[in-house]
């Protein structure tokens, strides 16, 4: 082969052959064990493939390819997560139909990804915007609705005034819209909500049953945010109502000197008639609704609040009547929306008490025991927590920070929520046999200023008949968030064209759960949590076989620009994968992206590094010129076995960079030989094939092989040949090291003694009579003086 191998023709030739032969298709009916590696399916943006995309795709491709050769039936699929704002915004700007934009973009992505020779099973390609796909996204929503987990709630939502869209808490970063950076406002709106909080405990606790990188587990656990405490009820004097508070410190109950309700707390309306300063209260409430949560609860913030006059609560521990306040530092969306204030032991309560001149009572001593707490005096805090809670008939419980999932979007380019509103029947689900509710074709995609979806303007789509009573009714015009389609896509790959179920149960039983899911750290909290929630729900209704979707989760680092900053169009430092493939070939790009650094770490792009990878492949391509049918030396054999072991182990543990460097060491050693043994060269190609699939396939065939290198068995090493059978040990005589001696690795002590004695240099130094000999096998022999 020419020194500068012709990557273009080699790559094109093998790519079309592999595709034509359906080489990477997973078999639905296989006797083999399955292996299901998964990458996060891309959003087909107009910018085309980013140079960072191939890193995880190639990484998982190495695993897929090795596992196939280890005898697994591998499902390595890809598709398009194609609903979302960028496409919609582009449609608004250009007037182009989002469907068309999506098709063009995914065509580009497919071409680009296929040019990299990744062994995806293209026969299973899915697209979340395909009505055949989102029919099932809608179906899952209706299942959630049926089980009471999807509900319409009037919630103060995060509202982006620029995008005109309601945002989930997760989409608000530092009080700003995650997409456009505009300050987020609060707005009250009827929203579809999903009761993910009902799954909080399982989502939290079951993390201990899966193999996720520690960072991912910690982030999810923090997001779910369990907090151990108690619910305690305070009666309202002269009323049958009670105020339930959530506290993490029930041991301080005797120090609770007043109660604070969130301004939005439901009790205010209930007790309206007993409240003497209701108008003041409602003015305060209106002013807080506009505030951001982070500002309300910020430490050191000047406290505000209003006393609820006419109402007193009774401290259940000592029967004391205490005042009730409303204040915005208490959130309605956490715990019970009410707290018992203990100014002596809680900083925010203390600041509030100082500001409004409220009393404080110390109930825990410096040594951490209860004081001023009646019969509980002297108890350690933990004990007091339990006993005091029991005494007032409270309940020890765990509360979670996690909130329900705001599932409505007032936009166009999403899955329509399949619900109909009827004046007589209320909300009525669209019957399964009328799914999918397809997005209508429209002329304009702009969201409306009123905050309604653009779908609201399409009257002949909105107006429909009530599925229940047949009277005129209206469709829901909100669509789903773009987290919906990605919450279950890995299930669809098991059976992507099924029209009667989202996937056949037998196929799910065979292929799921996903064995290994690799994706970005930025998706650890949202996407991963949402899909785990949907999956658990689907498990509960008996349609998936396991309670967790992903056995294992890892993460890759991003690729930065050469100067270490983020690549961006505006800075003009974006590397186009097409250009790189054109210049050096897909194989070199693949090898480079695996070699550039530890897989889980961010790293700067380097064109020189890419060229280095190309040169390595050129040296490999030159090796056949020196090939001969010689037998490898025992040294080479040891290196061969070591290389087989290391490359295999490194692929399985995602140490792709050290796998490549071992292959470099091996090929350099072969390059130094006068004659390269055929078997050694074949082993090199066999191990390099997952990294550089085209070149290795080409060379493999040039060596006269007829079967694809990718269908050969993965090379096995001989454990007995991982190290030489000789070792060099230190020889110590009367406390001093006198030299070294090479001996058979498994020599007995008496043989070692004999060998040292017969050694021309060391032998004469060993006196004939020794007191003692100590031999540490393989390390040192010690002759201890007479
Ligand atoms: C009395 C008390 C005494 C408290 C004390 C703390 C220290 P985490 O750990 O975050 O769960 N709290 C409860 N619900 C609240 C709400 N909706 N808005 C604002 N604050 C709320 O915090 C739980 C503690 O935060 C609870 O325990 C409660 O104050 C307050 F020495 O009750 B504590
Ligand atoms: Zn009706």
């Amino acid at each position: 082969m020419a020194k500068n191998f012709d990557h273009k023709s080699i790559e094109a030739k093998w790519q079309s052959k592999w595709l034509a032969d359906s080489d990477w298709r997973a078999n639905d009916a296989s006797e083999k064990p399955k292996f299901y590696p998964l990458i996060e399916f891309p959003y087909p943006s107009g910018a085309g493939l980013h140079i960072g995309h191939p890193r995880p795709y190639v990484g998982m491709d190495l695993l897929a390819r090795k596992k196939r050769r280890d005898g697994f039936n591998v499902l390595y699929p890809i598709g398009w997560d194609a609903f979302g704002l960028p496409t919609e915004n582009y449609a608004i700007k250009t007037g182009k139909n989002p469907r068309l934009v999506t098709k063009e973009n995914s065509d580009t992505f497919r071409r680009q990804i296929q040019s990299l020779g990744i062994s995806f099973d293209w026969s299973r390609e899915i697209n979340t915007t395909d009505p055949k796909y989102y029919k099932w996204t809608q179906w899952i929503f209706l299942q959630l609705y049926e089980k009471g987990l999807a509900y319409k709630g009037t919630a103060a939502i995060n509202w982006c005034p620029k995008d005109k869209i309601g945002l989930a808490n997760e989409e608000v970063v530092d009080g700003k819209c995650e997409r456009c950076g505009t300050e987020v406002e609060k707005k009250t709106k009827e929203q579809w909500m999903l009761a993910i909080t009902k799954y909080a405990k399982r989502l939290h606790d079951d993390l201990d049953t899966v193999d996720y990188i520690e960072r991912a587990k910690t982030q999810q656990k923090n997001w779910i945010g369990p907090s151990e405490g108690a619910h305690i009820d305070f009666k309202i004097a002269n009323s049958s109502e009670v105020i339930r508070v959530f506290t993490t410190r029930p041991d301080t109950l005797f120090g609770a000197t007043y109660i604070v309700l969130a301004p939005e707390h439901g009790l205010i309306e209930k007790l309206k008639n007993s409240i003497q300063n209701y108008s003041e209260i409602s003015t305060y409430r209106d002013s807080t609704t506009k505030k951001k949560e982070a500002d309300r609860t910020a430490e050191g913030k000047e406290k505000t609040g209003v006393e609820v006059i006419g109402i007193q609560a009774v401290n259940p521990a000592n029967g004391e009547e205490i005042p009730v306040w409303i204040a915005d530092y208490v959130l309605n969306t956490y715990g019970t929306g009410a707290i018992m204030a203990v100014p002596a032991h809680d900083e925010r309560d203390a600041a509030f008490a100082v500001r409004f001149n409220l009393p404080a009572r110390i109930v825990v001593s410096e040594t951490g025991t209860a004081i001023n707490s009646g019969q509980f005096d002297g108890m350690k805090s933990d004990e007091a927590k339990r006993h005091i809670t029991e005494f007032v008939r409270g309940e020890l419980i765990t509360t979670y920070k996690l909130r329900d999932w705001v599932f409505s979007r007032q936009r166009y380019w999403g899955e329509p929520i399949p619900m109909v509103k009827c004046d007589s029947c209320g909300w009525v689900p669209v019957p399964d046999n009328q799914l999918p509710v397809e997005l209508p074709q429209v002329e304009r995609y702009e969201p409306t200023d009123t905050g309604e979806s653009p779908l609201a303007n399409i009257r002949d789509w909105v107006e429909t008949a009530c599925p229940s009573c047949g009277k005129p009714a209206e469709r829901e015009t909100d669509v789903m968030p773009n987290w919906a389609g990605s919450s279950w896509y890995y299930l669809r790959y098991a059976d992507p064209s099924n029209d009667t179920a989202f996937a056949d149960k037998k196929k799910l039983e065979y292929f799921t759960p996903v064995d290994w899911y690799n994706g970005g750290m930025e998706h650890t909290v949202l996407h991963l949590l949402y899909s785990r929630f949907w999956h658990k729900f689907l498990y509960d209704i008996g349609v998936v076989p396991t309670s967790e979707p992903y056995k294992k989760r890892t993460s890759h680092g991003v690729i930065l620009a050469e100067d270490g900053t983020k690549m961006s169009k505006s800075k003009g430092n974006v590397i186009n994968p097409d250009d790189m493939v054109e210049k050096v070939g897909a194989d070199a790009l693949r090898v480079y992206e695996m070699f550039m650094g530890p897989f889980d770490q961010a790293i700067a792009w380097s064109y020189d590094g890419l060229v280095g990878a190309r040169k390595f492949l050129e040296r490999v391509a030159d090796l056949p010129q020196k090939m001969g049918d010689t037998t490898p030396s025992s040294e080479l054999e040891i290196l061969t076995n070591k290389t087989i072991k290391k490359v295999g182990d490194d692929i399985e543990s995602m140490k792709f960079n050290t796998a490549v460097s071992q292959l470099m060491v091996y090929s350099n050693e072969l390059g130094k030989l006068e004659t390269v043994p055929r078997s050694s060269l074949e082993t090199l190609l066999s191990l390099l094939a997952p990294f550089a699939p085209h070149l290795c396939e080409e060379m493999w065939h040039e060596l006269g092989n007829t079967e694809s290198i990718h269908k050969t068995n993965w090379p096995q090493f001989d454990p007995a040949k991982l190290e030489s059978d000789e070792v060099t040990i230190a020889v110590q005589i009367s406390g001093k090291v006198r030299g070294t001696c090479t001996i058979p690795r498994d020599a007995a002590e008496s043989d070692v003694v004999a060998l040292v004695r017969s050694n021309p240099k060391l032998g004469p130094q060993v006196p004939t009579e020794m007191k003692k000999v100590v031999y540490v096998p393989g390390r040192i022999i010690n002759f201890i003086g007479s």
Side-chain angles (χ1 to χ4, degrees):
M1 197 179 300
K3 184 170 166 56
N4 288 305
F5 66 89
D6 179 5
H7 62 264
K8 278 186 207 164
S9 68
I10 294 175
E11 290 176 1
K13 166 174 145 196
W14 290 111
Q15 279 165 19
S16 58
K17 172 132 175 62
W18 294 329
L19 269 184
D21 294 354
S22 316
D23 274 2
W24 318 130
R25 285 207 188 168
N27 187 343
D28 279 331
S30 172
E31 297 286 292
K32 291 182 185 176
K34 64 94 186 182
F35 181 70
Y36 185 176
L38 182 69
I39 48 112
E40 289 177 336
F41 64 160
Y43 175 72
S45 77
L49 202 70
H50 184 277
I51 199 74
H53 278 118
R55 201 177 184 199
Y57 301 173
V58 174
M60 294 305 273
D61 192 38
L62 302 180
L63 274 161
R65 287 172 181 276
K66 175 171 188 291
K67 288 287 189 181
R68 279 192 202 100
R69 294 170 63 193
D70 280 338
F72 288 84
N73 178 26
V74 172
L75 171 59
Y76 188 34
I78 186 163
W80 317 112
D81 186 16
F83 275 129
L85 269 186
T87 302
E88 180 167 340
N89 288 339
Y90 182 77
I92 290 170
K93 216 168 71 192
T94 60
K96 249 187 170 175
N97 187 322
R99 278 179 193 76
L100 197 69
V101 177
T102 298
K103 171 152 195 327
E104 287 171 2
N105 291 350
S106 47
D107 285 348
T108 304
F109 264 68
R110 186 183 312 98
R111 175 188 62 69
Q112 292 185 295
I113 293 173
Q114 287 185 345
S115 82
L116 298 170
I118 293 163
S119 67
F120 285 127
D121 179 348
W122 288 99
S123 72
R124 291 171 191 260
E125 182 182 334
I126 57 174
N127 185 327
T128 54
T129 65
D130 178 350
K132 289 202 181 105
Y133 179 91
Y134 70 67
K135 167 179 177 177
W136 299 106
T137 312
Q138 292 175 335
W139 180 84
I140 295 170
F141 174 87
L142 291 178
Q143 294 298 311
L144 286 158
Y145 177 77
E146 211 166 88
K147 299 291 178 304
L149 293 167
Y151 63 95
K152 261 255 155 138
T154 323
I157 59 146
N158 305 299
W159 177 255
C160 172
K162 179 157 177 289
D163 286 335
K164 296 182 181 122
I165 188 174
L167 301 170
N169 286 335
E170 298 89 305
E171 293 167 312
V172 181
V173 180
D174 297 332
K176 299 195 174 81
C177 172
E178 184 197 52
R179 302 146 194 281
C180 71
T182 307
E183 285 273 327
V184 169
E185 293 170 2
K186 286 279 175 190
K187 185 163 175 163
T188 323
K189 224 190 162 294
E190 280 255 294
Q191 303 279 324
W192 285 103
M193 312 275 286
L194 297 188
I196 189 172
T197 52
K198 293 226 167 93
Y199 280 74
K201 182 173 164 51
R202 283 165 68 193
L203 288 169
H204 180 272
D205 295 354
D206 288 359
L207 284 169
D208 292 333
T209 69
V210 289
D211 178 15
Y212 286 11
I213 42 163
E214 218 38 54
R215 276 187 302 163
K217 269 193 195 182
T218 312
Q219 278 194 11
Q220 280 212 23
K221 285 189 174 177
N222 290 344
W223 188 262
I224 298 166
S227 177
E228 281 173 29
H231 277 163
I232 291 176
D233 288 344
F234 286 66
K235 287 206 171 69
I236 291 177
N238 310 316
S239 155
S240 58
E241 297 291 342
V242 296
I243 298 173
R244 170 164 291 186
V245 305
F246 171 68
T247 176
T248 48
R249 297 291 306 276
D251 56 315
T252 64
L253 180 56
F254 285 83
T257 49
Y258 60 100
I259 291 285
V260 187
L261 304 179
E264 305 89 343
H265 197 286
L267 212 59
I268 304 287
E269 283 307 300
K270 263 197 192 159
L271 298 177
K272 198 171 166 177
N273 294 332
S274 325
I275 300 175
Q276 289 160 23
N277 58 339
Y278 180 80
S279 73
E280 191 187 357
I281 298 271
S282 80
T283 309
Y284 180 78
R285 176 174 55 196
D286 292 348
S287 74
T288 50
T289 316
K290 294 195 192 87
K291 290 192 198 164
K292 290 172 222 103
E293 258 175 31
D295 291 348
R296 283 172 58 163
T297 52
E299 256 171 66
K301 187 212 95 167
E302 173 82 17
K303 297 276 176 296
T304 61
V306 180
E307 184 174 357
V308 185
I309 297 172
I311 292 189
Q312 294 273 352
V314 181
N315 185 328
N318 53 18
E320 218 169 73
E321 288 202 5
I322 55 175
V324 177
W325 286 68
I326 61 164
D328 65 4
Y329 79 99
V330 175
L331 302 174
N332 202 32
T333 45
Y334 183 62
T336 60
I339 66 155
M340 62 183 215
V342 186
H345 300 287
D346 181 279
E347 269 180 38
R348 284 179 297 174
D349 297 343
F352 192 81
V354 168
R355 168 87 173 71
F356 294 104
N357 210 6
L358 290 155
R361 185 185 306 132
I362 296 173
V363 290
V364 183
S365 74
E366 273 178 36
T367 56
T369 50
I371 52 173
N372 297 323
S373 299
Q375 67 266 46
F376 304 99
D377 281 359
M379 272 190 195
K380 284 269 165 218
S381 285
D382 274 350
E383 229 183 314
K385 278 181 184 172
R386 263 188 300 122
H387 284 100
I388 294 180
T389 304
E390 211 169 279
F391 174 61
V392 299
R393 301 218 168 87
E395 192 193 354
L396 292 172
I397 60 125
T398 304
T399 281
Y400 296 86
K401 298 254 167 1
L402 187 69
R403 309 290 167 79
D404 276 350
W405 176 5
V406 181
F407 201 66
S408 287
R409 296 292 182 276
Q410 292 73 41
R411 303 294 301 216
Y412 172 76
W413 193 230
E415 302 87 346
I417 293 176
M419 298 292 295
V420 171
K421 177 119 193 218
C422 167
D423 282 344
S424 333
C425 310
W427 284 107
V428 181
V430 173
D432 287 358
N433 64 11
Q434 288 172 33
L435 297 181
V437 176
E438 282 198 44
L439 268 178
Q441 302 278 352
V442 298
E443 305 278 302
R444 299 165 59 80
Y445 308 99
E446 281 86 350
T448 58
D449 296 336
T450 59
E452 270 190 297
S453 157
L455 292 175
N457 293 332
I458 309 165
R459 296 313 299 171
D460 58 349
W461 181 81
V462 172
E463 285 160 19
T464 182
C466 168
S468 171
C469 70
K471 284 193 209 140
E474 296 203 344
R475 286 187 192 285
E476 172 58 75
T477 59
D478 286 356
V479 298
M480 299 187 194
N482 59 328
W483 306 108
S486 59
S487 288
W488 72 280
Y489 74 110
Y490 55 93
L491 296 170
R492 186 66 173 171
Y493 286 138
D495 193 11
S497 39
N498 196 324
D499 277 337
T500 54
F502 69 87
D504 174 76
K505 206 147 178 231
K506 284 244 152 54
K507 290 179 183 170
L508 289 174
E509 263 156 21
Y510 177 66
F511 280 119
T512 68
V514 169
D515 290 285
W516 193 328
Y517 191 14
N518 184 79
M521 265 323 278
E522 71 278 17
H523 291 138
T524 305
V525 173
L526 318 178
H527 159 62
L528 220 52
L529 199 62
Y530 292 151
S531 62
R532 289 182 61 228
F533 163 45
W534 277 32
H535 193 90
K536 284 185 180 303
F537 168 72
L538 293 172
Y539 175 68
D540 290 349
I541 63 169
V543 293
V544 298
T546 61
S547 75
E548 282 287 337
Y550 319 116
K551 267 197 208 160
K552 178 172 177 141
R553 168 79 181 191
T554 52
S555 234
H556 56 276
V558 295
I559 297 182
L560 304 164
E562 298 228 19
D563 64 358
T565 62
K566 204 172 169 249
M567 282 188 199
S568 80
K569 242 190 191 164
S570 58
K571 279 191 269 170
N573 58 6
V574 174
I575 307 286
N576 182 341
D578 287 348
D579 297 345
M580 301 303 124
V581 170
E582 164 85 18
K583 276 193 188 132
V584 297
D587 282 339
L589 180 61
R590 293 170 60 112
V591 168
Y592 170 59
E593 290 209 5
M594 293 301 97
F595 185 57
M596 66 198 304
F599 187 67
D600 61 348
Q601 283 165 35
I603 190 139
W605 174 260
S606 155
Y607 186 71
D608 291 346
L610 177 64
V611 171
R614 164 78 195 194
K615 290 203 171 126
F616 160 56
L617 294 182
E618 284 173 4
R619 288 195 297 275
V620 171
D622 279 344
L623 289 175
Q625 291 169 16
K626 297 203 285 180
M627 193 185 73
D629 276 319
T630 50
T631 318
S633 68
S634 65
E635 255 185 344
L636 179 56
E637 214 163 335
I638 288 159
L639 181 63
T640 305
N641 278 282
K642 267 189 179 166
T643 304
I644 295 173
K645 177 165 183 350
K646 181 151 178 62
V647 173
D649 289 352
D650 282 359
I651 289 178
E652 300 259 359
S653 53
M654 291 199 139
K655 293 183 194 139
F656 305 132
N657 58 330
T658 52
V660 174
S661 64
Q662 182 68 31
L663 288 166
M664 288 173 169
V665 167
Y666 189 51
S667 97
N668 285 345
E669 286 308 312
L670 296 185
K672 286 181 202 158
L673 301 174
E674 221 157 278
T675 312
V676 178
R678 182 189 181 90
S679 65
S680 311
L681 178 59
E682 288 195 340
T683 302
L684 173 67
L685 296 180
S686 191
L687 295 173
L688 183 61
F691 298 84
H694 313 86
L695 176 64
C696 293
E697 183 83 304
E698 178 73 12
M699 290 176 69
W700 185 250
H701 281 78
E702 284 200 356
L703 294 185
N705 295 295
T706 48
E707 188 195 24
S708 166
I709 193 169
H710 306 294
K711 290 184 183 164
T712 60
N713 289 336
W714 185 254
Q716 300 295 305
F717 60 87
D718 179 352
K721 288 188 181 153
L722 286 175
E723 34 188 32
S724 150
D725 30 356
E726 291 193 320
V727 270
T728 301
I729 60 163
V731 177
Q732 187 168 314
I733 300 164
S734 302
K736 259 184 126 183
V737 176
R738 304 296 165 107
T740 59
C741 184
T742 299
I743 58 156
R745 181 178 291 281
D746 51 6
E749 180 178 312
S750 55
D751 297 334
V752 180
V753 172
L755 276 166
V756 175
R757 284 194 186 279
S758 65
N759 181 298
K761 227 182 93 207
L762 292 165
Q765 299 184 54
V766 185
T768 33
E769 286 293 310
M770 296 303 300
K771 210 168 160 189
K772 208 168 142 197
V773 176
V774 180
Y775 175 51
V776 183
R779 304 270 303 278
I780 189 166
I781 186 157
N782 201 346
F783 293 90
I784 295 162
S786 50

